[in-house]
Amino acid sequence: PDGPHGTVETVAFTTAAGDSHKVRVYLPPSYESEQDIAVTYIHDVRRPFSVGRIDTSLDNLIGKSVAPVIVVIVPGLAKGGYNGYVGANRDQYLTAFTEDLIPFIDQRYHTQRKREGRANYGTGRGGFMAFYASTQRPDLFGGMAIQSTYWDQTNEAERDAVIPPADSLPAFRLYLDWGTYDSRSPTEGNDTGLATARFAAALSDKGYVFVGGQINDGAGWASWRNRTHRVFGTLFPVKIE
């Protein structure tokens, strides 16, 4: 409690289509003294600070195992729940994110403007968007982190369209994990852990290499926050002089 603390602020943001949103942004303790700080965009996440304690974790990690990083909590940029992140409206989300929100953040804060200085991070539906945005716009992002995600992999053509071969893209820093006790509902055909394991296998088949794997834990912040150091240590490890 006596160490340096970053700050979390809320800023108003409006897309080119006229949709208004509130965006929460974590600034590291050294923000005022740093230039060109890396940025991690987190998708479809609830209570990242009050329950996930990402700000507290980063206060303790930055300068030790993690480089200074700004964290932006991306609001829902497309309607439709699952469709807004994974299904029919995902490209609407992607456009608002890459063409509206990122320029807004870059203009407001002193951020790194190259792909090496940007990463996407998501849980659940947001995990899919973290991968989709990164691979659709590899010119913008150099890292991604995915925890306990899910998507419809029953269509082989859709699977091939979503996961381009790793050797067709520049290299990514990639963290991916799922829990032995992730949420599941057999009567509804829903098993997040199995879905993420299959996603991981599909990535491996396409040549992607990731840090993480199956964890003897569950889904939700009570589990995910145990690995915040691994997520950000993969995305933006501290540079040893």
Side-chain angles (χ1 to χ4, degrees):
D2 297 327
H5 294 281
T7 59
V8 177
E9 62 181 40
T10 302
V11 296
F13 162 71
T14 303
T15 67
D19 297 325
S20 298
H21 301 277
K22 298 292 185 181
V23 180
R24 287 175 293 168
V25 180
Y26 166 84
L27 301 175
S30 59
Y31 176 76
E32 295 299 337
S33 62
E34 298 278 353
Q35 293 295 324
D36 302 330
I37 303 176
V39 185
T40 297
Y41 292 90
I42 306 186
H43 304 269
D44 191 34
V45 63
R46 299 186 179 103
R47 297 178 290 178
F49 303 122
S50 61
V51 181
R53 305 305 298 274
I54 287 177
D55 50 340
T56 303
S57 294
L58 288 175
D59 286 347
N60 286 280
L61 293 169
I62 288 174
K64 298 174 183 176
S65 60
V66 176
V69 60
I70 295 169
V71 173
V72 178
I73 308 302
V74 182
L77 297 173
K79 296 180 180 179
Y82 180 88
N83 281 332
Y85 292 91
V86 186
N89 297 334
R90 67 190 184 207
D91 287 323
Q92 177 186 340
Y93 181 109
L94 179 64
T95 297
F97 170 45
T98 58
E99 298 185 11
D100 298 337
L101 181 59
I102 290 178
F104 170 79
I105 294 297
D106 284 346
Q107 183 178 31
R108 185 177 180 92
Y109 303 100
H110 44 87
T111 60
Q112 290 189 31
R113 310 294 172 89
K114 297 181 180 180
R115 70 180 300 269
E116 291 78 13
R118 295 193 191 97
N120 288 300
Y121 172 23
T123 63
R125 301 172 301 187
F128 175 89
M129 180 51 67
F131 178 83
Y132 186 70
S134 298
T135 53
Q136 290 293 305
R137 292 298 306 272
D139 57 312
L140 293 179
F141 308 104
M144 53 180 133
I146 303 162
Q147 291 182 293
S148 303
T149 192
Y150 51 87
W151 64 296
D152 182 6
Q153 300 175 67
T154 58
N155 185 314
E156 185 173 351
E158 165 72 358
R159 183 168 65 247
D160 289 341
V162 165
I163 307 178
D167 60 10
S168 69
L169 301 172
F172 289 97
R173 303 177 303 280
L174 174 54
Y175 181 87
L176 169 65
D177 76 28
W178 63 96
T180 304
Y181 306 103
D182 274 2
S183 57
R184 61 177 62 90
S185 176
T187 59
E188 297 173 313
N190 178 11
D191 189 325
T192 304
L194 179 60
T196 311
R198 288 174 173 170
F199 182 61
L203 292 183
S204 295
D205 289 344
K206 290 293 186 76
Y208 292 86
V209 177
F210 58 86
V211 176
Q214 182 167 308
I215 307 295
N216 196 37
D217 211 332
W221 281 121
S223 169
W224 297 329
R225 69 185 183 189
N226 295 330
R227 300 184 294 282
T228 300
H229 63 299
R230 299 185 68 187
V231 168
F232 285 93
T234 300
L235 296 179
F236 296 112
V238 69
K239 295 180 179 179
I240 305 299
E241 300 295 339

